[in-house]
Amino acid sequence: MLVTKKRIWKGIVALLVGMLTGACEGTPTGRTATPVALSATSTPQAAASVQIECTPPARLTPAMTEGPYYKAGSPERTSLLQEGIPGTPLDLSGYVLTSDCQPVVGAWLDFWQADGQGQYDNVGFNLRGYQFTDERGGYHLETVLPGFYAGRTAHIHVKVQPPGGSILTTQLFFPDVATNQSDSIFSEQLLVTLLERGDVVRARFDFIVP
């Protein structure tokens, strides 16, 4: 009887140790760990981490004027943030998709914009840079919210080119900006979707190309 009780207690102790070990490792005993789904604001690559929302045939992203401040030869980079550039940090990401909602891998995106005070760098390449979409057709840009200047509301310029395809030149706008309605070329079709407001503004925009 004594031996049996000892065996029972050993079994209980072993079970408790196993449960505690599993809890410390973050995986309950006897269960398989399930990856936690990232929310739309969990990572700097937030927008390109959420599910693609697209119903074919998707409407093509409208083209827009290039404007006078484009400069060829910008560096390849996903972050335009640099010390001393004024403006609220902006995390913009999303996808480049075809009209039948297929991701475009290796699409070229070239961004340029004004800083938070509405000033462009026309001497160097501040707030200018290009990148390519990843294996999911996603892109991610770290920059600042652009300021507005006479005649224009806040906007970001971008050129998008699928591999072997034609270049789409367009602009992105921001919701709830008072100067949107006074901008003669503002388009609601080019409004980004705000995911989070705070010290860093997170936004998403999906480009639809032929």
Side-chain angles (χ1 to χ4, degrees), residues 143-164:
T143 184
V144 298
L145 280 173
F148 60 89
Y149 50 93
R152 292 305 318 271
T153 190
H155 62 282
I156 293 178
H157 296 269
V158 58
K159 291 179 180 287
V160 184
Q161 183 179 30

Side-chain angles (χ1 to χ4, degrees), residues 31-52:
R31 297 183 182 180
T32 302
T34 302
V36 177
L38 296 176
S39 68
T41 57
S42 295
T43 66
Q45 298 81 7
S49 299
V50 299
Q51 183 178 359
I52 296 175

Side-chain angles (χ1 to χ4, degrees), residues 66-208:
E66 179 183 277
Y69 301 123
Y70 177 69
K71 287 179 61 178
S74 63
E76 181 178 1
R77 55 189 176 186
T78 59
S79 178
L80 308 183
L81 296 176
Q82 296 182 49
E83 186 176 354
I85 293 180
T88 301
L90 169 67
D91 193 288
L92 172 68
S93 50
Y95 296 95
V96 177
L97 306 169
T98 62
S99 59
D100 58 353
C101 299
Q102 296 303 305
V104 180
V105 179
W108 172 76
L109 299 100
D110 193 7
F111 296 93
W112 72 101
Q113 65 171 92
D115 62 23
Q117 297 176 348
Q119 300 294 319
Y120 285 88
D121 175 15
N122 295 315
V123 178
F125 289 98
N126 288 336
L127 295 176
R128 300 173 183 267
Y130 74 91
Q131 61 180 274
F132 296 94
T133 55
D134 61 22
E135 66 279 357
R136 299 181 63 218
Y139 73 91
H140 170 229
L141 180 71
E142 292 180 335
T143 184
V144 298
L145 280 173
F148 60 89
Y149 50 93
R152 292 305 318 271
T153 190
H155 62 282
I156 293 178
H157 296 269
V158 58
K159 291 179 180 287
V160 184
Q161 183 179 30
S166 58
I167 296 176
L168 165 69
T169 300
T170 191
Q171 301 179 31
L172 302 181
F173 300 95
F174 298 85
D176 305 322
V177 176
T179 49
N180 282 348
Q181 302 309 317
S182 61
D183 190 314
S184 62
I185 63 173
F186 166 75
S187 172
E188 290 190 355
Q189 295 181 45
L190 294 169
L191 282 170
V192 304
T193 299
L194 293 182
L195 303 176
E196 181 181 358
R197 299 175 187 264
D199 293 338
V200 176
V201 175
R202 305 192 190 281
R204 173 179 177 173
F205 188 87
D206 295 341
F207 297 94
I208 309 297

